Coordinates of all heavy atoms in Angstrom, one line a residue:
L630 N 54.4 72.4 130.7 CA 54.1 73.8 130.2 C 53.1 74.5 131.0 O 53.2 75.6 131.4 CB 53.7 73.7 128.7 CG 54.8 73.4 127.7 CD1 54.2 73.4 126.3 CD2 56.0 74.4 127.8
Q631 N 52.0 73.7 131.4 CA 51.0 74.3 132.2 C 51.4 74.8 133.6 O 50.9 75.7 134.2 CB 49.8 73.3 132.4 CG 49.0 73.1 131.1 CD 47.9 72.0 131.3 OE1 47.8 71.4 132.3 NE2 47.2 71.8 130.2
A632 N 52.5 74.1 134.1 CA 53.0 74.4 135.4 C 53.9 75.6 135.4 O 54.3 76.1 136.5 CB 53.7 73.2 136.0
I633 N 54.3 76.1 134.3 CA 55.3 77.2 134.2 C 54.6 78.5 134.4 O 53.6 78.8 133.7 CB 56.0 77.2 132.8 CG1 56.8 75.9 132.7 CG2 56.9 78.4 132.6 CD1 57.4 75.7 131.3
K634 N 55.1 79.3 135.3 CA 54.6 80.6 135.6 C 55.6 81.7 135.3 O 55.3 82.8 134.8 CB 54.1 80.8 137.0 CG 53.1 79.7 137.5 CD 51.8 79.8 136.6 CE 50.8 78.7 137.1 NZ 49.6 78.7 136.2
T635 N 56.9 81.5 135.7 CA 58.0 82.4 135.5 C 59.0 81.9 134.5 O 59.4 80.7 134.6 CB 58.6 82.8 136.9 OG1 59.2 81.6 137.4 CG2 57.6 83.4 137.8
V636 N 59.5 82.8 133.6 CA 60.5 82.3 132.7 C 61.6 83.4 132.5 O 61.3 84.6 132.8 CB 59.9 82.1 131.3 CG1 58.8 81.0 131.3 CG2 59.3 83.3 130.7
G637 N 62.7 83.0 132.2 CA 63.8 83.9 131.8 C 64.2 83.6 130.4 O 64.1 82.4 129.9
I638 N 64.7 84.6 129.6 CA 65.0 84.4 128.2 C 66.5 84.6 128.0 O 67.1 85.6 128.4 CB 64.2 85.4 127.3 CG1 62.7 85.2 127.5 CG2 64.6 85.2 125.9 CD1 61.9 86.2 126.9
V639 N 67.1 83.6 127.4 CA 68.6 83.7 127.0 C 68.7 83.6 125.5 O 68.1 82.8 124.8 CB 69.3 82.5 127.6 CG1 70.7 82.4 127.0 CG2 69.3 82.5 129.1
S640 N 69.4 84.6 124.9 CA 69.6 84.6 123.4 C 71.1 84.7 123.1 O 71.8 85.6 123.7 CB 68.8 85.7 122.8 OG 69.0 85.7 121.4
A641 N 71.6 83.9 122.2 CA 73.0 83.9 121.9 C 73.2 83.5 120.4 O 73.8 82.5 120.1 CB 73.8 83.1 122.8
I642 N 72.6 84.3 119.5 CA 72.8 83.9 118.1 C 73.5 85.0 117.2 O 73.9 84.7 116.1 CB 71.5 83.6 117.4 CG1 70.7 84.8 117.1 CG2 70.6 82.6 118.2 CD1 69.5 84.6 116.1
G643 N 73.6 86.2 117.7 CA 73.8 87.4 116.8 C 75.1 88.1 116.9 O 75.1 89.3 116.5
E644 N 76.2 87.6 117.4 CA 77.4 88.3 117.5 C 78.3 88.3 116.3 O 79.1 89.2 116.0 CB 78.3 87.8 118.7 CG 77.6 88.0 120.1 CD 77.5 89.4 120.5 OE1 78.5 90.2 120.2 OE2 76.5 89.8 121.1
E645 N 78.1 87.2 115.5 CA 78.9 87.1 114.2 C 78.0 86.7 113.1 O 77.0 86.1 113.2 CB 79.9 85.9 114.4 CG 81.1 86.3 115.2 CD 82.2 85.3 115.1 OE1 81.9 84.1 114.6 OE2 83.4 85.6 115.4
M646 N 78.4 87.2 111.9 CA 77.7 86.9 110.7 C 78.7 86.0 109.8 O 79.8 86.5 109.5 CB 77.3 88.1 109.9 CG 76.6 87.9 108.6 SD 76.0 89.5 107.9 CE 74.9 88.9 106.7
S647 N 78.2 84.9 109.4 CA 79.1 84.0 108.5 C 78.9 84.4 107.1 O 77.8 84.9 106.7 CB 78.7 82.6 108.7 OG 77.4 82.3 108.3
L648 N 80.0 84.3 106.3 CA 80.0 84.6 104.9 C 80.4 83.3 104.2 O 81.6 82.9 104.3 CB 81.0 85.7 104.6 CG 80.8 87.0 105.5 CD1 81.9 88.0 105.2 CD2 79.4 87.6 105.3
T649 N 79.5 82.7 103.4 CA 79.8 81.4 102.8 C 79.6 81.4 101.3 O 78.7 82.0 100.8 CB 78.8 80.4 103.4 OG1 78.8 80.4 104.8 CG2 79.1 79.0 102.9
R650 N 80.6 80.8 100.7 CA 80.5 80.6 99.2 C 80.3 79.1 98.9 O 81.0 78.3 99.5 CB 81.7 81.1 98.5 CG 81.8 82.7 98.5 CD 83.0 83.1 97.6 NE 82.9 84.6 97.4 CZ 83.6 85.4 98.1 NH1 84.3 85.0 99.1 NH2 83.5 86.7 97.8
A651 N 79.4 78.8 98.0 CA 79.1 77.4 97.7 C 78.8 77.3 96.2 O 78.7 78.3 95.5 CB 77.9 76.9 98.5
G652 N 78.7 76.1 95.8 CA 78.5 75.8 94.3 C 79.8 75.8 93.6 O 80.7 75.2 94.0
L653 N 79.8 76.4 92.4 CA 81.1 76.4 91.6 C 82.0 77.5 92.1 O 82.2 78.6 91.6 CB 80.7 76.7 90.2 CG 79.8 75.7 89.5 CD1 79.4 76.1 88.1 CD2 80.4 74.3 89.5
T654 N 82.7 77.1 93.2 CA 83.8 78.0 93.8 C 85.1 77.3 93.7 O 85.2 76.1 93.4 CB 83.4 78.3 95.2 OG1 83.5 77.0 96.0 CG2 82.1 78.9 95.4
G655 N 86.1 78.1 93.9 CA 87.5 77.6 93.8 C 87.8 76.7 94.9 O 87.2 76.7 96.0
L656 N 88.7 75.8 94.7 CA 89.2 74.9 95.8 C 89.8 75.7 96.9 O 90.5 76.7 96.7 CB 90.2 73.8 95.2 CG 89.6 72.8 94.2 CD1 90.7 72.0 93.7 CD2 88.5 72.0 94.8
G657 N 89.6 75.2 98.1 CA 90.2 75.8 99.3 C 89.5 77.1 99.7 O 90.0 77.9 100.5
N658 N 88.3 77.4 99.1 CA 87.6 78.6 99.5 C 86.9 78.4 100.8 O 86.0 77.7 101.0 CB 86.5 78.8 98.4 CG 85.9 80.1 98.6 OD1 86.4 81.0 99.3 ND2 84.7 80.3 98.1
T659 N 87.5 79.0 101.9 CA 87.0 78.8 103.2 C 86.0 79.8 103.6 O 85.9 80.9 103.0 CB 88.2 78.8 104.2 OG1 88.8 80.1 104.1 CG2 89.2 77.7 104.0
G660 N 85.2 79.5 104.6 CA 84.2 80.4 105.1 C 84.8 81.6 105.8 O 86.0 81.5 106.3
Q661 N 84.1 82.7 105.9 CA 84.6 83.9 106.6 C 83.5 84.3 107.6 O 82.4 83.8 107.6 CB 84.8 85.0 105.6 CG 85.7 84.7 104.4 CD 85.6 85.8 103.3 OE1 85.7 87.0 103.6 NE2 85.4 85.4 102.1
S662 N 83.9 85.2 108.4 CA 82.9 85.7 109.4 C 83.2 87.2 109.6 O 84.3 87.7 109.4 CB 82.9 85.0 110.7 OG 84.2 85.1 111.4
S663 N 82.2 87.9 110.1 CA 82.3 89.3 110.4 C 81.5 89.6 111.6 O 80.4 89.1 111.9 CB 81.7 90.1 109.2 OG 81.7 91.5 109.5
S664 N 82.1 90.5 112.5 CA 81.4 90.8 113.7 C 80.2 91.7 113.5 O 80.3 92.7 112.7 CB 82.4 91.6 114.7 OG 81.7 92.0 115.8
I665 N 79.1 91.4 114.1 CA 77.9 92.2 114.0 C 77.3 92.5 115.4 O 76.1 92.7 115.5 CB 76.8 91.6 113.1 CG1 76.5 90.1 113.6 CG2 77.2 91.6 111.6 CD1 75.3 89.5 112.9
S666 N 78.2 92.5 116.4 CA 77.7 92.7 117.7 C 77.0 94.0 117.9 O 76.1 94.2 118.7 CB 78.9 92.6 118.7 OG 79.9 93.6 118.4
A667 N 77.4 95.0 117.1 CA 76.8 96.4 117.2 C 75.3 96.3 116.7 O 74.6 97.3 117.0 CB 77.6 97.4 116.3
W668 N 74.9 95.3 116.0 CA 73.5 95.2 115.5 C 72.5 94.9 116.6 O 71.3 95.2 116.5 CB 73.4 94.1 114.5 CG 74.0 94.4 113.1 CD1 74.8 95.5 112.8 CD2 73.9 93.6 111.9 NE1 75.2 95.4 111.5 CE2 74.7 94.3 110.9 CE3 73.3 92.5 111.6 CZ2 74.8 93.8 109.6 CZ3 73.4 92.0 110.3 CH2 74.1 92.7 109.3
G669 N 73.0 94.4 117.7 CA 72.1 94.1 118.8 C 71.0 93.1 118.6 O 69.9 93.3 119.1
L670 N 71.3 92.1 117.8 CA 70.2 91.1 117.4 C 69.7 90.3 118.6 O 68.6 90.0 118.7 CB 70.8 90.1 116.4 CG 71.0 90.8 115.0 CD1 71.5 89.7 114.0 CD2 69.8 91.4 114.4
D671 N 70.7 90.0 119.5 CA 70.2 89.2 120.7 C 69.3 90.1 121.6 O 68.3 89.6 122.2 CB 71.4 88.7 121.5 CG 72.1 87.5 120.8 OD1 71.4 86.6 120.4 OD2 73.3 87.6 120.6
E672 N 69.6 91.3 121.7 CA 68.8 92.2 122.5 C 67.4 92.3 121.8 O 66.4 92.4 122.5 CB 69.4 93.6 122.6 CG 70.6 93.7 123.5 CD 71.9 93.2 122.8 OE1 71.8 92.8 121.6 OE2 73.0 93.2 123.5
L673 N 67.4 92.4 120.5 CA 66.1 92.4 119.8 C 65.3 91.1 120.0 O 64.1 91.2 120.3 CB 66.4 92.5 118.3 CG 65.2 92.4 117.3 CD1 64.2 93.5 117.5 CD2 65.6 92.3 115.9
I674 N 66.0 90.0 120.0 CA 65.3 88.7 120.2 C 64.7 88.7 121.6 O 63.5 88.3 121.8 CB 66.2 87.5 120.0 CG1 66.6 87.4 118.5 CG2 65.6 86.2 120.5 CD1 67.7 86.4 118.2
V675 N 65.5 89.0 122.6 CA 65.0 89.0 124.0 C 63.8 90.0 124.2 O 62.8 89.7 124.8 CB 66.1 89.4 125.0 CG1 65.5 89.6 126.4 CG2 67.2 88.3 125.0
Q676 N 63.9 91.1 123.5 CA 62.8 92.1 123.6 C 61.6 91.6 123.0 O 60.4 91.7 123.6 CB 63.3 93.4 122.9 CG 62.4 94.6 123.1 CD 62.9 95.9 122.4 OE1 63.1 95.9 121.2 NE2 63.3 96.8 123.2
Q677 N 61.7 91.0 121.8 CA 60.5 90.5 121.1 C 59.9 89.3 121.8 O 58.7 89.2 122.0 CB 60.8 90.2 119.7 CG 59.5 89.8 118.9 CD 59.8 89.3 117.5 OE1 60.9 89.0 117.1 NE2 58.7 89.1 116.7
A678 N 60.8 88.4 122.3 CA 60.3 87.2 123.0 C 59.6 87.6 124.3 O 58.5 87.0 124.7 CB 61.4 86.3 123.3
T679 N 60.1 88.6 125.0 CA 59.5 89.1 126.2 C 58.1 89.6 125.9 O 57.1 89.3 126.6 CB 60.3 90.2 126.8 OG1 61.6 89.7 127.2 CG2 59.7 90.8 128.1
K680 N 57.9 90.4 124.9 CA 56.6 90.9 124.5 C 55.6 89.8 124.2 O 54.5 89.8 124.6 CB 56.8 91.9 123.3 CG 55.5 92.5 122.9 CD 55.8 93.5 121.7 CE 54.5 94.2 121.3 NZ 54.7 95.1 120.1
L681 N 56.1 88.8 123.4 CA 55.2 87.7 123.0 C 54.8 86.8 124.2 O 53.7 86.4 124.2 CB 55.9 86.9 121.9 CG 56.2 87.5 120.6 CD1 57.1 86.7 119.7 CD2 54.8 87.7 119.8
L682 N 55.8 86.6 125.1 CA 55.5 85.6 126.1 C 54.8 86.2 127.3 O 54.2 85.5 128.2 CB 56.8 85.0 126.6 CG 57.5 84.1 125.5 CD1 58.9 83.7 126.0 CD2 56.7 82.9 125.2
S683 N 54.8 87.6 127.4 CA 54.3 88.2 128.6 C 52.8 88.1 128.8 O 52.2 88.3 129.9 CB 54.7 89.7 128.6 OG 56.0 89.9 128.8
G684 N 52.1 87.7 127.7 CA 50.7 87.5 127.8 C 50.3 86.3 128.6 O 49.2 86.1 129.0
R685 N 51.3 85.4 128.7 CA 51.0 84.1 129.4 C 51.9 83.9 130.6 O 51.5 83.2 131.6 CB 51.2 82.9 128.4 CG 51.0 81.6 129.0 CD 51.1 80.5 128.0 NE 51.0 79.2 128.6 CZ 51.1 78.0 127.9 NH1 51.3 78.1 126.6 NH2 51.0 76.9 128.5
F686 N 53.2 84.4 130.6 CA 54.1 84.1 131.7 C 54.6 85.4 132.3 O 54.5 86.5 131.7 CB 55.3 83.3 131.1 CG 55.0 82.1 130.4 CD1 55.1 82.0 129.0 CD2 54.6 80.9 131.1 CE1 54.8 80.9 128.3 CE2 54.3 79.8 130.4 CZ 54.4 79.7 129.0
R687 N 55.2 85.3 133.5 CA 55.9 86.4 134.1 C 57.3 86.3 133.6 O 58.1 85.4 134.0 CB 55.8 86.4 135.6 CG 54.5 86.7 136.2 CD 54.6 87.1 137.6 NE 55.4 86.2 138.4 CZ 54.9 85.1 139.0 NH1 53.6 84.8 138.8 NH2 55.7 84.4 139.7
V688 N 57.8 87.2 132.7 CA 59.1 87.1 132.2 C 60.0 88.0 133.0 O 59.8 89.2 133.2 CB 59.1 87.6 130.7 CG1 60.5 87.5 130.1 CG2 58.1 86.9 129.8
Q689 N 61.0 87.3 133.6 CA 62.0 88.0 134.4 C 63.3 88.2 133.7 O 63.8 87.3 133.1 CB 62.2 87.3 135.8 CG 61.0 87.2 136.6 CD 61.2 86.7 138.0 OE1 60.3 86.2 138.7 NE2 62.5 86.8 138.4
P690 N 63.9 89.4 133.8 CA 65.3 89.6 133.2 C 66.3 88.6 133.8 O 66.2 88.4 135.1 CB 65.6 91.0 133.5 CG 64.3 91.7 133.8 CD 63.4 90.6 134.5
V691 N 67.2 88.1 133.0 CA 68.3 87.2 133.5 C 69.6 87.7 133.0 O 69.7 88.4 132.0 CB 68.0 85.8 133.2 CG1 66.8 85.2 133.8 CG2 67.9 85.6 131.6
T692 N 70.6 87.4 133.7 CA 72.0 87.7 133.3 C 72.7 86.4 132.9 O 72.4 85.3 133.6 CB 72.8 88.5 134.3 OG1 72.9 87.7 135.5 CG2 72.1 89.8 134.6
Y693 N 73.6 86.4 132.0 CA 74.3 85.2 131.5 C 75.5 85.6 130.7 O 75.5 86.7 130.2 CB 73.3 84.3 130.7 CG 72.7 84.9 129.6 CD1 73.2 84.9 128.3 CD2 71.5 85.6 129.8 CE1 72.6 85.6 127.2 CE2 70.8 86.3 128.7 CZ 71.4 86.2 127.4 OH 70.8 86.9 126.4
R694 N 76.4 84.7 130.6 CA 77.6 84.9 129.7 C 77.2 84.5 128.3 O 77.2 83.3 127.9 CB 78.8 84.1 130.2 CG 79.4 84.6 131.5 CD 80.7 83.9 131.8 NE 80.5 82.5 131.9 CZ 81.3 81.6 131.3 NH1 82.4 82.0 130.7 NH2 81.1 80.3 131.4
R695 N 76.9 85.5 127.5 CA 76.4 85.2 126.1 C 77.5 84.4 125.3 O 77.2 83.5 124.6 CB 76.1 86.5 125.4 CG 75.5 86.3 124.0 CD 75.0 87.6 123.4 NE 73.9 88.1 124.2 CZ 73.5 89.4 124.3 NH1 74.3 90.3 123.7 NH2 72.5 89.7 125.0
A696 N 78.7 84.7 125.5 CA 79.8 84.1 124.8 C 79.9 82.6 125.1 O 80.2 81.8 124.2 CB 81.2 84.7 125.1

Side-chain angles (χ1 to χ4, degrees):
L630 287 178
Q631 288 176 357
I633 295 173
K634 305 299 181 186
T635 58
V636 300
I638 302 169
V639 172
S640 179
I642 77 164
E644 295 293 322
E645 283 191 345
M646 181 175 193
S647 63
L648 310 173
T649 306
R650 287 187 171 94
L653 298 178
T654 61
L656 294 175
N658 187 19
T659 58
Q661 307 168 49
S662 64
S663 175
S664 173
I665 53 170
S666 58
W668 287 9
L670 292 180
D671 286 309
E672 289 81 359
L673 171 68
I674 291 171
V675 170
Q676 188 178 66
Q677 186 185 13
T679 297
K680 182 178 179 181
L681 292 167
L682 295 171
S683 291
R685 178 175 176 184
F686 306 105
R687 291 200 310 274
V688 182
Q689 295 190 203
V691 295
T692 60
Y693 53 94
R694 291 188 303 139
R695 184 172 294 154

